[in-house]
């Protein structure tokens, strides 16, 4: 995988200076402030941290001021720059694919954070792993997850890391297509096992969309079969059955929310081989 000379995205927000060790800024900010900031951010559609800065005056520390106004990661931060080139490529690919369907792709933002950060979906925590918040259309990632991916989960490689971003961007695509709101509605009032089954289809679709992106990204990143192997291995390592076996020694299928290793590998492969949105209908096909 070659990425160093590829375009970087302007849509990366670096909040790593603003939130150290699970706290929220150089000076402690009461939970009340955070809640007020989140509500206002939701209503006005602005980055909650900007408001957080306004409410606390200039006192949330020099680190927090560094993120304003653009908050782009430093140019010498290799890992952040890597994430930024992957995000840029997803922007190009999904803009093109949406255009082909006669619609417009609204690009998401990607937030780098450490420990914890406020989001429109509530407080984001590193322990949750990378996630997407549909309410603020942002992908959140603590880059320490990549160490976990490599060391604890056994999925090394830069394309494994790219797959993680592409999967989260896949959730953004689902949001724009109206899949996420529809599923949220279906989940309301559903029995827990049924809600989990819906989650699995959402997650497998995000894997498939990551595969679609990977096919389109092949030439731009000079991908080789070994790169695709890294993504497939990652998909396999984070299957619910594999994680449950590793964590608790046994498997509880009705608690699955992301799909088995085999399913995740299969849907990434399907997207990668077929390269179309239509290939990713995980709701009307056997999974
Ligand atoms: Zn997901």
């Amino acid at each position: 995988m070659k990425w160093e000379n590829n375009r970087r995205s302007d849509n990366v927000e670096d909040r790593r200076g603003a939130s150290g060790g699970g706290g929220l800024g150089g000076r402690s900010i009461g939970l009340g402030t955070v809640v007020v900031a989140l509500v206002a951010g939701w209503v006005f559609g602005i980055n909650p941290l900007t408001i957080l800065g306004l409410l606390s005056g200039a006192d949330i520390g020099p680190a927090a001021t560094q993120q304003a106004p653009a908050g782009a990661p430093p140019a010498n931060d290799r890992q952040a720059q890597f994430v930024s080139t992957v995000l840029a490529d997803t922007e190009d690919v999904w803009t093109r694919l949406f255009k082909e369907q006669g619609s417009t792709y609204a690009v998401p933002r990607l937030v780098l954070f450490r420990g914890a950060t406020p989001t429109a979906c509530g407080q984001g925590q590193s322990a949750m792993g990378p996630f997407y918040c549909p309410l603020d259309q942002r992908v959140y990632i603590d880059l320490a997850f990549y160490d976990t991916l490599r060391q604890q989960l056994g999925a090394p490689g830069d394309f494994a890391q790219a797959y993680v971003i592409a999967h989260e961007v896949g959730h953004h695509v689902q949001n724009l297509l109206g899949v996420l709101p529809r599923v949220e509605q279906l989940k309301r009032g559903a029995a827990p096992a049924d809600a989990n089954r819906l989650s699995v289809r959402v997650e497998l679709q995000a894997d498939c969309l990551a595969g679609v992106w990977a096919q389109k990204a092949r030439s731009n990143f000079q991908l080789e079969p070994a790169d695709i192997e890294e993504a497939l291995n990652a998909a396999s390592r984070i299957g619910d059955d594999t994680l449950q076996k590793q964590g608790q020694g046994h498997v509880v299928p009705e608690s699955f929310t992301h799909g088995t290793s085999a399913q995740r590998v299969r849907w990434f492969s399907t997207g990668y081989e077929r390269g179309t949105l239509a290939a990713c209908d995980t709701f009307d096909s056997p999974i």
Side-chain angles (χ1 to χ4, degrees):
M1 178 181 190
K2 294 254 185 307
W3 61 271
E4 284 84 352
N5 298 321
N6 290 13
R7 181 176 82 81
R8 284 162 198 190
S9 172
D10 295 327
N11 297 307
V12 177
E13 280 171 40
D14 193 352
R15 294 188 193 167
R16 291 171 298 172
S19 57
L24 273 172
R27 231 178 235 206
S28 71
I29 298 168
L31 196 61
T33 316
V34 175
V35 170
V36 169
L38 272 181
V39 170
W42 195 336
V43 172
F44 303 130
I46 337 173
N47 171 3
L49 272 195
T50 317
I51 304 169
L52 210 58
L54 292 176
L55 289 177
S56 318
D59 277 337
I60 57 170
T65 18
Q66 271 168 22
Q67 81 157 48
N76 61 358
D77 184 331
R78 195 175 152 82
Q79 211 168 25
Q81 295 305 334
F82 171 77
V83 166
S84 177
T85 58
V86 172
L87 182 67
D89 201 275
T90 65
E91 290 167 355
D92 297 342
V93 166
W94 287 114
T95 297
R96 203 172 70 233
L97 291 177
F98 269 59
K99 208 168 173 185
E100 283 170 17
Q101 309 242 330
S103 54
T104 309
Y105 181 65
V107 299
R109 293 182 69 80
L110 184 146
V111 177
L112 299 173
F113 73 102
R114 258 185 213 128
T117 196
T119 83
C121 302
Q123 180 82 341
Q125 304 278 353
S126 297
M128 299 157 63
F131 63 95
Y132 171 72
C133 170
L135 299 178
D136 57 24
Q137 305 205 349
R138 280 171 168 80
V139 169
Y140 292 85
I141 183 166
D142 183 331
L143 292 177
F145 175 75
Y146 284 153
D147 299 329
T148 308
L149 190 66
R150 187 177 55 243
Q151 291 161 6
Q152 268 96 49
L153 300 173
D158 46 14
F159 205 68
Q161 299 181 357
Y163 154 69
V164 170
I165 303 296
H167 172 97
E168 297 308 330
V169 169
H171 285 314
H172 176 65
V173 170
Q174 292 176 308
N175 194 22
L176 296 182
L177 295 175
V179 174
L180 293 189
R182 224 176 313 145
V183 168
E184 271 321 300
Q185 214 166 12
L186 287 172
K187 273 184 173 174
R188 258 174 246 145
D194 291 331
N196 287 346
R197 271 192 281 275
L198 283 166
S199 289
V200 167
R201 288 177 188 262
V202 168
E203 295 300 332
L204 294 177
Q205 187 172 61
D207 282 335
C208 183
L209 296 172
V212 170
W213 167 76
Q215 190 210 67
K216 310 295 176 196
R218 200 158 44 185
S219 62
N220 202 18
F221 287 109
Q222 300 178 41
L223 297 182
E224 291 166 12
D227 293 308
I228 302 305
E229 263 322 304
E230 287 173 359
L232 292 171
N233 175 54
S236 168
R237 298 291 181 146
I238 56 180
D240 286 322
D241 52 342
T242 302
L243 289 178
Q244 286 189 357
K245 241 177 268 168
Q246 198 179 324
Q248 61 195 31
H250 65 279
V251 165
V252 187
E254 56 280 13
S255 70
F256 288 175
T257 52
H258 285 69
T260 64
S261 294
Q263 287 173 323
R264 301 199 70 165
V265 166
R266 190 160 65 242
W267 281 101
F268 179 90
S269 304
T270 299
Y272 181 69
E273 281 154 23
R274 306 230 337 246
T276 62
L277 271 173
C280 297
D281 189 355
T282 54
F283 290 90
D284 285 320
S285 342
I287 52 170

